Amino acid sequence: MVKFQLLFLVVISIWVTPNFAEAQLKENFYYKTCPNVESIVRKVVLQKISDTFVTVPALLRVFFHDCMVNGCDASVLIASTPNNKAERDHPDNLSLAGDAFDTVIKAKAAIDKVPSCRNRVSCADILTIATRDVVDLAGGNFYEVELGRRDGLVSTAASVDGKLPKTSYNLSQLTSIFASHGLSPADMIALSAAHTVGFSHCNKFANRLYNFSPKYDTDPTLDPTYAAILKQKCPKNVDPRMAVDMDPRTPTLFDNNYFWNLIQHKGLFKSDQVLYDDPRSRPTVVDWARNGTHFMRAFGQAMTKLGRVGVKTGSNGNIRTRCDAFNY
């Protein structure tokens, strides 16, 4: 663990000072204006999950992609117009499932039906609450959410460039990009475990299955049996839109099996498997594989810290009347 802390000190020089607006976030922010906001959102989330489980990984991804680019300001929800190509149309965001956007829009409509709540709750906060709820409802832990964000006033596809981690990243690259948002190596490992639910398209990891290197056709860090199963599901020249569960054991349960998969060399992405293969992060992976309670606590703390990144307050943002469009 000491080595891991030293790694964080190495990258701390690029740490961006957290937005002081986070100090204005607080639990029960809407207790006077919209006291039932969390129960309203949860009801919508429950309905969406009953329609399709995709809602769970979809919201987790959208929340992460939103916060890591312009901060947690719902800028990823903005639809493009003829005059502006928005974040959601950047190549890195095209695979974001529409169920997440639909959930936020439906929750916004449900909130605005309450006269005292109408146009009082930001889309950024709705996304934050809904993401917490899908974690809880999929078997994860319930953590209190800090609220009080404003919605961002800018959303451009160009702003996404270089802001999101790639599946090919090594540990140092992963630690560096998370540290730039004030997130620790432990936060990075915890947040990576969101891959315990959901699926990935074959083209996102096919490079590990075929023509991996001059020496190996298949990535040698993959368990051979697991690699064979992946090849059956994703043969060469398969439709790249074909999908595989990211967690081969419990793909619809938010749990700590993600870490057991890494120990067994069944991490789907290189950026997953490196968390166990690199001796600096391995002790944390082993600890959380053995102790789900430790992981759940760390995940809730990491999500809270992620939710503070780049928060907008006051004139730096507003509360949108529509979550997919700026106010005019």
Side-chain angles (χ1 to χ4, degrees), residues 54-65 100 127 131-132 134-135 143 191 193-197 254 299 303 306:
V54 172
T55 304
V56 175
L59 277 164
L60 275 162
R61 288 194 70 211
V62 167
F63 180 72
F64 179 78
H65 282 225
L127 175 58
T131 303
R132 184 274 311 279
V134 295
V135 171
Y143 53 91
L191 293 170
H195 289 169
T196 191
V197 289
F254 194 96
F299 184 81
M303 287 293 281
L306 177 62

Side-chain angles (χ1 to χ4, degrees), residues 1 17 100 116 140 149 164 182 187 208 236 239-240 247 267 280 292 298 305:
M1 196 63 180
T17 302
S116 64
R149 299 164 188 79
L164 297 169
D187 294 329
R208 301 186 69 198
K236 284 185 177 180
D239 186 336
D247 180 349
R280 296 172 292 180
K305 289 175 66 176

Side-chain angles (χ1 to χ4, degrees), residues 187-209:
D187 294 329
M188 177 270 293
I189 298 173
L191 293 170
S192 296
H195 289 169
T196 191
V197 289
F199 59 87
S200 172
H201 296 106
C202 292
N203 62 340
K204 297 298 183 181
F205 57 87
N207 63 323
R208 301 186 69 198
L209 303 178

Side-chain angles (χ1 to χ4, degrees), residues 33-34 108-109 111-121 319:
T33 55
C34 189
K108 165 73 171 171
I111 291 168
D112 284 351
K113 284 183 179 179
V114 180
S116 64
C117 299
R118 184 171 178 79
N119 294 328
R120 296 290 188 92
V121 181
I319 295 177

Side-chain angles (χ1 to χ4, degrees), residues 219-270:
D219 186 344
T221 64
L222 268 174
D223 172 76
T225 302
Y226 182 50
I229 293 172
L230 291 176
K231 286 183 176 182
Q232 289 179 348
K233 296 181 177 181
C234 297
K236 284 185 177 180
N237 303 317
V238 71
D239 186 336
R241 293 171 296 180
M242 289 292 291
V244 171
D245 290 328
M246 289 191 286
D247 180 349
R249 300 177 68 189
T250 53
T252 60
L253 185 64
F254 194 96
D255 57 19
N256 65 331
N257 271 336
Y258 169 83
F259 300 106
W260 283 116
N261 293 334
L262 302 187
I263 292 172
Q264 296 170 0
H265 292 276
K266 295 179 181 179
L268 189 61
F269 302 130
K270 190 73 175 179

Side-chain angles (χ1 to χ4, degrees), residues 256 259 263 281-292 294-295:
N256 65 331
F259 300 106
I263 292 172
S281 48
R282 185 180 301 153
T284 303
V285 170
V286 172
D287 176 34
W288 290 348
R290 292 173 175 170
N291 195 318
H294 288 180
F295 160 60

